[in-house]
Amino acid sequence: MKVLVVGGGGREHALVWKIAQSKKVSKLYCAPGNAGISKQATIVPIPANDVKGLLQFALREAIDLTVVGPEEPLTRGIVDLFESEGLSIFGPSGRAAQLEGSKAFAKEMMRKCRIPTASYEIFKDRQKAIAYLKEQRHPVVVKADGLAAGKGVMVCRTTEEAVRAVDQIMVDRAFGEAGSQVVIEECLVGEEASCLAFTDGKTILPMASCQDHKAVYDGDRGPNTGGMGAYSPAPVVTAEIHEKVSQEVLHPIVKGMAQEGIPYKGVLYAGIMVCEGVPKVLEFNARFGDPETQPLLMRMKGDIVPVLEACIHGNLSRCRVEWDSRPAVCVVMTSNGYPGIYDKGKVIGGLEDVERMKDVFVFHAATASEGGKVLTSGGRVLGVTGLGENIPEAIKTTYQAVSKITWDGVHYRTDIGGKALGRGGKG
């Protein structure tokens, strides 16, 4: 079968890497891809948000299965468009993707489905938002309603900080149309984790637990990013908490979406805060996480393609997924200055050395090829991912690989996985 993966980041490289292992796949494409992906798939120079261009390509090439990585084409309705032409595509519909595309929609669905989450209010009017903030205990969390590449969420410790955040979103329009309204909610205290599941709109098939690291600097300091690293499993998600998330979050939201006439198919991602042993939802995402996908797919056993197809065709109840018992750690290497201003076009060295290492893979996120060299082409450049017999070994292996890769201005956190060690995580 012919498969098209939409996107060009680290998540998409992980999907390409996993799908390429399937015996069912005869030809693999990726649009727009990157330098690393080009080694395993044919690159198609169509942007991920050009849904009509992607449709034309899929029809022309008679693509059997399309797998969508990023959130933007999902919220733009790429699934609806492909399905209207009789094409098989993995991901939620445009309406269902509003679970991620609109934080206000997501919070209202959580309220309807009685899913544990932070208390909140939604505002379209700046003055009403400011008046509300002056009555609240701080810290509070201020969120742009729409998509903001993981950067539209601000924890504000004072009223002044919160007012500035509202103005940044609603007045300065730092995140464009995503700032047409804001969600202001209580600040939950605890430890974050990511719980993902496959779903066909009825059945859910939970994946292994994972933990992302959003802040740019060690110790969770500095501004939020799209993600500086991740590891799986996350010891904070005990078997009991994993079951609670499944029964109190994932099942209710899938059932609730179906009852609303908006069946949800694809990957459902719940970002949770574990507060004194109780999981509460911070956000929903409508796709695989990035960088969580990299360690998750390193650990996922078997062929992913039948699982993707089962989600589309509504027979996920027949599927099972096994996980490698070994933990995996992903360290994201970025351009200096990210998530702010950074340079591009820096020559990356050491990739060949890492290729010779066992149980390590370098997933490319923002790379380009030129004259036989691999260059940086964005903020999050690589996701170096390694397996180990336990979490300390996985951390050690991954950072050994990271130390071999160089370019002018490289930056990465040195404490990915540290929280697991703090919980006695040994695997």
Side-chain angles (χ1 to χ4, degrees):
M1 64 189 298
K2 293 182 179 180
V3 178
L4 168 65
V5 174
V6 175
R11 163 186 50 222
E12 289 75 36
H13 193 180
L15 285 166
V16 164
W17 174 81
K18 188 65 176 173
I19 291 168
Q21 297 168 24
S22 174
K23 293 180 180 179
K24 298 187 71 173
V25 177
S26 57
K27 184 68 176 177
L28 184 54
Y29 300 91
C30 187
N34 60 44
I37 291 173
S38 68
K39 293 187 176 182
Q40 292 158 306
T42 299
I43 297 300
V44 181
I46 302 174
N49 59 7
D50 182 3
V51 295
K52 290 183 179 178
L54 291 165
L55 174 65
Q56 291 169 359
F57 173 81
L59 289 170
R60 186 172 65 248
E61 295 296 327
I63 297 296
D64 299 296
L65 171 65
T66 298
V67 181
V68 186
E71 58 273 22
E72 186 179 356
L74 291 170
T75 58
R76 285 190 174 208
I78 187 172
V79 170
D80 310 81
L81 189 64
F82 273 51
E83 288 184 342
S84 72
E85 294 289 342
L87 293 170
S88 185
I89 182 167
F90 177 83
S93 67
R95 289 181 69 204
Q98 287 308 296
L99 266 184
E100 176 170 6
S102 170
K103 293 180 179 64
F105 174 84
K107 294 297 280 193
E108 297 288 74
M109 281 301 303
M110 284 187 256
R111 179 179 283 170
K112 285 181 182 179
C113 299
R114 298 181 179 179
I115 290 170
T117 187
S119 60
Y120 70 98
E121 292 293 339
I122 301 165
F123 298 94
K124 292 184 178 179
D125 180 272
R126 175 191 177 275
Q127 294 302 329
K128 290 181 180 178
I130 301 303
Y132 175 78
L133 282 172
K134 291 179 178 177
E135 298 174 355
Q136 302 309 303
R137 293 178 62 186
H138 290 76
V140 297
V141 181
V142 179
K143 298 180 176 181
D145 176 54
L147 298 177
K151 300 163 194 165
V153 176
M154 286 160 272
V155 178
C156 305
R157 308 203 174 278
T158 64
T159 301
E160 292 72 22
E161 276 186 35
V163 170
R164 283 198 298 271
V166 168
D167 284 345
Q168 184 182 353
I169 294 167
M170 302 189 82
V171 179
D172 301 338
R173 289 300 175 103
F175 309 107
E177 284 304 306
S180 59
Q181 58 182 354
V182 295
V183 176
I184 299 173
E185 59 184 45
E186 70 170 314
C187 183
L188 298 177
V189 178
E191 188 172 338
E192 287 190 47
S194 305
C195 295
L196 288 77
F198 295 103
T199 180
D200 61 1
K202 305 182 295 292
T203 300
I204 70 157
L205 186 57
M207 301 185 208
S209 64
C210 200
Q211 188 173 74
D212 184 18
H213 299 65
K214 285 189 164 47
V216 70
Y217 301 124
D218 285 9
D220 293 331
R221 293 179 298 109
N224 272 354
T225 69
M228 293 298 296
Y231 64 92
S232 174
V236 68
V237 182
T238 61
E240 181 184 4
I241 289 174
H242 204 262
E243 181 63 18
K244 274 189 176 182
V245 172
S246 176
Q247 298 302 323
E248 298 176 13
V249 176
L250 300 175
H251 279 291
I253 196 68
V254 169
K255 183 179 179 181
M257 292 288 282
Q259 290 173 341
E260 291 288 313
I262 315 172
Y264 188 101
K265 297 182 178 183
V267 167
L268 180 60
Y269 171 131
I272 65 167
M273 182 74 80
V274 181
C275 310
E276 297 180 349
V278 177
K280 295 187 177 183
V281 177
L282 295 168
E283 64 178 0
F284 282 117
N285 290 331
R287 35 72 193 182
F288 283 99
D290 190 347
E292 293 97 332
T293 305
Q294 291 87 309
L296 282 173
L297 293 191
M298 283 280 280
R299 294 187 63 217
M300 182 180 176
K301 292 183 175 182
D303 191 339
I304 194 174
V305 173
V307 180
L308 303 178
E309 292 180 303
C311 289
I312 295 167
H313 301 303
N315 51 17
L316 187 62
S317 60
R318 302 176 190 173
C319 293
R320 296 289 180 271
V321 174
E322 292 186 15
W323 300 92
D324 193 322
S325 61
R326 295 175 297 170
V329 173
C330 172
V331 175
V332 174
M333 304 181 73
T334 75
S335 299
N336 191 37
Y338 173 80
I341 298 169
Y342 51 82
D343 292 328
K344 300 179 183 179
K346 302 297 183 180
V347 177
I348 303 172
L351 292 172
E352 301 83 359
D353 294 335
V354 178
E355 284 178 7
R356 291 190 284 269
M357 293 181 67
K358 185 183 178 184
D359 293 331
V360 175
F361 196 86
V362 180
F363 295 107
H364 290 227
T367 60
S369 298
E370 188 176 301
K373 296 179 179 179
V374 178
L375 311 177
T376 65
S377 64
R380 291 193 295 170
V381 179
L382 302 173
V384 182
T385 308
L387 291 162
E389 291 302 318
N390 49 46
I391 288 175
E393 283 298 317
I395 292 171
K396 181 180 177 181
T397 297
T398 303
Y399 276 107
Q400 282 177 345
V402 166
S403 70
K404 297 177 185 293
I405 300 171
T406 59
W407 70 83
D408 182 23
V410 64
H411 167 73
Y412 55 88
R413 283 181 58 161
T414 64
D415 63 345
I416 304 300
K419 289 178 185 175
L421 299 180
R423 288 186 168 273
K426 297 179 182 179

